[in-house]
């Protein structure tokens, strides 16, 4: 009789089908909370109370645990599920208990991080959950293999406990100093100033909006004695006001090796050196489409386009560090960074307009199924990319084809080792056959 009952709740694969068992959440309790306010935690369990069967209950527990960890107040968190007991217990009732340990008042970390084009050594000292609703004050510094450095004092405040909590609104304020090298144009920049940022997700979960304002002094410095004069004209400290608006729509099945889905990101930066001038508007658009094929293979089509538009009657000079530099393993493969555009005295001049397009055929490694999870870290690609800077025409087109091997780094970044063969170049271009790329945003 027991055997007959269990079979009625089995799926065709022989596993128990938990969706056939009714369930109702009677109680959810979060244990181990000392400094955190209840209203900051309540929203995370809202979906859990909507469970109608045991399978939805188990899925809800996983989602709720992930949401609680995302709040940035717990060091670790576990969960238990038990049937309801007592006179107030309902039929098919369950109780869920979460057991957490809050982060200490002061935390520190030292490690490495993957950024676009580079790997960074990062250290941070922070005070998490400062006022009981996820606030964080942090001091962090970083230094990369490309000699990029940053020092930042940042205050972060989420508003998940408000009526708009479903949109994950966040604000931050930072004092920062940032230094970058532009080897391809033989100069470097040092920026010191303040930044204010707010972000949210609406009207759907896959659409992220970010609004950022920066006010800083940007010092452009010639790196060498032989840095060309046209670069030196931009040198010296200048005030910069930057108002940025970014939108990202991402429904891909993976951030690193997607096989299906689309991603569209757009950024707009209003830049000027005086509160009395409009300055110029820097626009950038990146789109990507992924389609699955067979045997684990997929095709990827992607493209980028950017344009800087001067505003107002008084034409403000466009800073060379704000211009577009085409080329490199993240953009136009087959050329060095800044090597697919106009060169003057051995330095890239940058452009106010650029576009590029690429097609990739991605495939697992041969016999990757025999290597288990390790084999899933690698993918091979065959690609063709074309692009141009200076205008939107195809007269001075650059293009390259190639093959490559990619390696996954966590859930956000990857390493690419490619061999490329440029099939169309222009005078002064700097092609490169073997390329090594590391980052999270590739075309």
């Amino acid at each position: 009789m027991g055997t007959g009952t269990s079979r009625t709740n089995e799926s065709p694969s022989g596993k128990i089908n938990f969706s056939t068992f009714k369930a109702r959440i009677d109680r959810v309790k979060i244990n181990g909370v000392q400094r955190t306010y209840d209203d900051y935690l309540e929203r995370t369990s809202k979906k859990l109370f909507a469970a109608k069967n045991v399978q939805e209950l188990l899925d809800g527990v996983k989602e709720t645990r992930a949401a609680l960890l995302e709040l940035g107040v717990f060091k670790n968190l576990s969960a238990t599920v038990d049937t309801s007991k007592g006179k107030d217990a309902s039929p098919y009732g369950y109780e869920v208990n979460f057991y957490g340990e809050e982060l200490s008042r002061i935390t520190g970390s030292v490690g490495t991080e993957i950024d676009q084009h580079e790997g960074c050594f990062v250290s941070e000292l922070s005070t998490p959950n400062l006022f009981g609703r996820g606030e964080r004050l942090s001091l962090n510094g970083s230094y990369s293999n490309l000699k990029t450095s940053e020092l930042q004092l940042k205050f972060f405040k989420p508003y998940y406990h408000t009526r708009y909590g479903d949109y994950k609104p966040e604000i931050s304020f930072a004092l920062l100093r940032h230094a970058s090298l532009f080897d391809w144009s033989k100069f470097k920049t040092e920026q010191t100033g303040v930044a204010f940022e707010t972000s949210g997700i609406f009207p759907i979960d896959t659409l992220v909006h970010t609004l950022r304002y920066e006010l800083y002094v940007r010092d452009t410095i010639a790196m060498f004695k032989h840095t060309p004069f046209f670069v030196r004209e931009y040198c010296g400290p200048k005030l910069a006001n930057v108002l940025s608006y970014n939108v990202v729509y991402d429904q891909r099945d993976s951030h690193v090796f997607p096989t299906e889905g689309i991603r569209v990101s757009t950024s707009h930066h209003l830049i000027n050196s005086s509160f009395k001038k409009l300055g110029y508007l820097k626009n950038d658009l990146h789109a990507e489409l992924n389609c699955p094929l067979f045997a684990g293979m997929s095709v990827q089509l992607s493209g980028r386009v950017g344009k800087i538009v001067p505003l107002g009657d008084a034409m403000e000079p466009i800073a060379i560090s704000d211009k577009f530099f085409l080329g490199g393993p993240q953009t136009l493969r087959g050329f060095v960074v800044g090597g697919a555009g106009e060169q003057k005295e051995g330095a890239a001049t940058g452009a106010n307009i650029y576009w590029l397009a690429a097609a990739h055929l991605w495939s697992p490694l041969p016999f990757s199924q025999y290597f288990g999870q390790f084999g899933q870290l690698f993918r091979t690609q065959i690609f063709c990319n074309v692009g141009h800077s200076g205008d939107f025409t195809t007269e001075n087109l650059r293009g390259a084809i190639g093959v490559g091997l990619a390696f996954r780094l966590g859930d956000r970044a990857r390493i690419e080792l490619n061999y490329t063969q440029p099939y169309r170049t222009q005078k002064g271009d700097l092609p490169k056959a073997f390329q090594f790329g590391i980052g999270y945003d590739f075309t």
Side-chain angles (χ1 to χ4, degrees):
M1 192 166 163
T3 305
T5 304
S6 63
R7 286 178 178 172
T8 61
N9 295 300
E10 288 183 356
S11 65
S13 62
K15 297 181 179 179
I16 297 177
N17 185 1
F18 288 106
S19 62
T20 61
F21 296 96
K22 294 182 180 180
R24 180 184 183 276
I25 300 297
D26 287 344
R27 183 185 180 194
V28 174
K29 185 177 180 181
I30 303 174
N31 302 277
V33 177
Q34 297 178 355
R35 307 196 316 269
T36 309
Y37 286 98
D38 291 342
D39 60 356
Y40 187 62
L41 305 173
E42 288 173 353
R43 189 178 296 273
T44 58
S45 59
K46 187 168 63 173
K47 291 184 178 180
L48 189 56
F49 280 101
K52 302 297 183 183
N53 56 63
V54 173
Q55 185 61 56
E56 291 180 359
L57 184 153
L58 296 176
D59 293 339
V61 170
K62 292 179 182 178
E63 292 181 13
T64 302
R65 180 180 180 274
L68 285 169
L69 289 173
E70 188 180 353
L71 296 180
V73 300
F74 291 106
K75 183 178 181 180
N76 52 61
L77 192 68
S78 61
T80 63
V81 180
D82 200 357
T83 56
S84 292
K85 298 178 178 64
K87 62 179 181 178
D88 296 327
S90 62
Y92 315 110
Y94 288 86
E95 295 180 0
V96 180
N97 280 277
F98 292 94
Y99 299 91
E101 179 184 356
E102 289 183 317
L103 291 166
S104 56
R105 293 187 180 275
I106 299 178
T107 62
S109 63
V110 176
T112 57
E113 187 176 280
I114 301 300
D115 204 347
Q116 192 70 342
H117 310 293
E118 57 193 0
C120 303
F121 173 79
V122 180
S123 61
E124 181 182 58
L125 182 67
S126 65
T127 57
N129 202 19
L130 190 60
F131 302 120
R133 291 191 174 96
E135 302 87 354
R136 177 184 291 264
L137 180 65
S138 62
L139 175 65
N140 58 69
S142 65
Y143 188 81
S144 79
N145 61 301
L146 298 181
K147 298 182 180 180
T148 298
S149 63
E150 182 172 87
L151 181 64
Q152 179 177 250
L153 178 64
K154 181 179 180 180
F155 175 74
F156 168 79
K157 167 68 177 174
Y159 284 89
Y160 303 157
H161 61 287
T162 66
R163 60 185 297 185
Y164 305 106
D166 290 341
Y167 304 115
K168 297 186 178 180
E170 302 171 349
I171 65 168
S172 65
F173 175 80
L175 304 174
L176 55 89
R177 179 178 177 82
H178 182 85
S180 299
L181 270 63
F182 294 76
D183 292 337
W184 49 91
S185 295
K186 302 179 181 178
F187 72 92
K188 63 180 181 180
T189 63
E190 295 180 354
Q191 299 175 177
T192 305
V194 299
F196 174 81
E197 182 175 294
T198 179
S199 63
I201 301 175
F202 63 90
I204 54 178
D205 291 343
T206 52
L207 195 63
V208 182
H209 303 258
T210 304
L211 183 66
R212 181 180 177 91
Y213 173 72
E214 297 173 276
L215 176 63
Y216 54 80
V217 175
R218 174 168 50 194
D219 193 5
T220 304
I221 305 167
M223 291 178 59
F224 311 105
K225 291 182 178 180
H226 59 274
T227 297
F229 180 74
F230 84 90
V231 175
R232 294 179 181 272
E233 289 182 319
Y234 296 97
C235 291
K238 292 182 176 63
L239 182 69
N241 292 289
V242 183
L243 181 63
S244 305
Y245 176 59
N246 304 317
V247 181
V248 178
Y249 173 73
D250 193 348
Q251 59 153 199
R252 299 173 299 173
D253 57 351
S254 170
H255 294 293
V256 184
F257 293 141
T259 58
E260 63 179 330
I262 65 174
R263 181 184 186 272
V264 179
S265 65
T266 177
S267 63
H268 309 277
H269 308 273
L270 178 61
I271 307 170
N272 59 59
S273 60
S274 171
F275 292 103
K276 297 180 180 180
K277 296 180 181 179
L278 288 175
Y280 47 91
L281 186 64
K282 182 178 180 180
N283 306 283
D284 204 1
L285 173 67
H286 178 201
E288 178 185 306
L289 171 65
N290 300 276
C291 299
L293 296 177
F294 53 89
M297 295 191 296
S298 63
V299 62
Q300 181 184 88
L301 304 175
S302 59
R304 290 179 183 266
V305 61
K307 184 176 183 180
I308 300 176
V309 181
L311 303 175
D313 298 330
M315 300 286 285
E316 182 169 340
I318 298 172
I320 189 171
S321 56
D322 290 328
K323 293 189 176 184
F324 300 110
F325 295 92
L326 190 61
Q330 275 83 15
T331 58
L332 189 60
R333 296 170 178 84
F335 299 84
V336 302
V337 177
E342 183 181 355
Q343 305 283 323
K344 187 183 294 185
E345 300 179 50
T349 62
N352 297 345
I353 297 174
Y354 86 100
W355 67 267
L356 62 91
H360 304 255
L361 178 63
W362 289 95
S363 174
L365 283 176
F367 311 109
S368 61
Q369 65 271 24
Y370 298 108
F371 297 98
Q373 292 296 322
F374 183 74
Q376 300 301 316
L377 298 176
F378 295 88
R379 300 278 285 182
T380 60
Q381 64 167 330
I382 302 173
F383 60 85
C384 174
N385 55 193
V386 295
H388 178 53
S389 61
D391 53 50
F392 289 124
T393 67
T394 58
E395 293 182 3
N396 298 313
L397 196 67
R398 282 92 170 170
I401 58 175
V403 296
L405 177 67
F407 175 73
R408 176 197 294 270
L409 292 174
D411 295 327
R412 301 293 300 181
R414 70 174 184 250
I415 293 175
E416 284 191 8
L417 181 62
N418 300 319
Y419 173 75
T420 61
Q421 182 61 51
Y423 62 85
R424 186 162 182 178
T425 61
Q426 303 300 326
K427 184 179 179 180
D429 286 351
L430 302 174
K432 189 173 184 180
F434 288 97
Q435 282 189 310
F436 172 85
I438 182 171
Y440 53 84
D441 189 14
F442 291 79
T443 301

